[in-house]
Amino acid sequence: MNGSTREATTDLITLPGTPLADAVVNLVRTVQTPSVFNHSVRSYLFARLVAARLDLAVGRDYDDSLLFAASVMHDLGVASDGPHCQRFEVEGADRAAEFLVERGVSAADADEVWQAIALHTSPGIAERRGTLCVLVRAGVALDFGGAVGTGHLEAVTDEQADAVHAAYPRLEMIRSLTDAIVAQAAKNPKNAPRYTIPGEFLRERETFGRTRLEHAGRSSRWGS
């Protein structure tokens, strides 16, 4: 690996070195499985690549600190220490917004993060609620490698994907995350409304033993 390649790889996987970013990482790492934590970080790294592909610039078009917070906390609703009393997207959005406000983030910025997290499983809606929602959903979707849609797959080269996965291995992410969503959904009927992601995952697991997402993941670009 030559110097320029090494530098590019370092830039690709470098996380923000701010107190807020450190606090987000410390929170999420302690309440999520390593597999789901890695997925959350990869979602941020992939979202940045999508932003570059769309010619979106940090500071001009989006706030990188909010993108990091929303991406890394987007599955906070399945955290092991959560109340688990509403669908995981909303529960995670509520918890993330409260966490940010407690650390001095403005209510308006925290609400942007809330929307990005609450809508990350809502195609056709997230894309119409601003740049942060667009990037968070795109980063999350990209980490499934085409299993939830093929938009922006070309934003990531094989070399970039290898570097990201070397730093943050997949660890059977699709199964691990589905396990967490289903477990959270099963705790309360309010967590699993019909035709929502948690509701359908729960019913597919109960009926077929695995979800359509798990099946699709086997043939996705990154695998499971």
Side-chain angles (χ1 to χ4, degrees):
M1 181 183 293
N2 61 39
S4 60
T5 302
R6 186 180 301 108
E7 182 177 339
T9 298
T10 300
D11 289 344
L12 174 67
I13 62 174
T14 297
L15 306 184
T18 65
L20 179 60
D22 290 344
V24 168
V25 168
N26 290 338
L27 168 67
V28 175
R29 193 190 295 276
T30 59
V31 298
Q32 290 184 340
T33 65
S35 177
V36 176
F37 172 77
N38 286 0
H39 158 63
S40 300
V41 175
R42 288 195 308 268
S43 296
Y44 164 71
L45 299 176
F46 287 151
R48 290 196 306 189
L49 293 174
V50 172
R53 179 174 181 265
L54 297 176
D55 294 322
L56 299 173
V58 174
R60 185 192 69 196
D61 302 302
Y62 69 96
D63 184 322
D64 189 61
S65 66
L66 298 185
L67 178 62
F68 182 80
S71 298
V72 176
M73 292 194 288
H74 82 269
D75 280 329
L76 197 53
V78 298
S80 59
D81 64 340
H84 302 160
C85 59
Q86 56 188 328
R87 55 186 287 189
F88 85 96
E89 305 99 315
V90 176
E91 186 164 301
D94 285 349
R95 185 171 179 181
E98 180 180 2
F99 179 86
L100 293 175
V101 170
E102 287 175 350
R103 282 153 184 80
V105 175
S106 71
D109 285 348
D111 186 62
E112 279 197 57
V113 171
W114 188 95
Q115 291 189 61
I117 294 174
L119 296 174
H120 81 270
T121 63
S122 300
I125 299 177
E127 290 83 357
R128 299 183 66 171
R129 298 307 303 161
T131 302
L132 186 63
C133 287
V134 168
L135 292 179
V136 171
R137 175 161 170 79
V140 172
L142 248 179
D143 196 46
F144 285 89
V148 295
T150 57
H152 302 300
L153 271 179
E154 63 274 28
V156 183
T157 67
D158 290 341
E159 292 76 12
Q160 288 171 328
D162 289 345
V164 169
H165 287 126
Y168 298 96
R170 297 193 69 80
L171 306 176
E172 298 186 356
M173 178 275 290
I174 294 179
R175 179 191 57 77
S176 177
L177 179 57
T178 304
D179 285 347
I181 293 172
V182 169
Q184 197 267 6
K187 291 181 178 180
N188 189 322
K190 293 180 180 179
N191 299 354
R194 289 302 305 265
Y195 311 116
T196 64
I197 288 293
E200 294 310 296
F201 278 10
L202 178 60
R203 288 164 181 79
E204 288 171 1
R205 274 283 188 89
E206 291 175 341
T207 303
F208 306 112
R210 68 177 179 179
T211 64
R212 287 176 291 178
L213 178 62
E214 291 170 286
H215 177 74
R218 294 184 175 186
S219 57
S220 69
R221 182 176 175 184
W222 324 126
S224 62

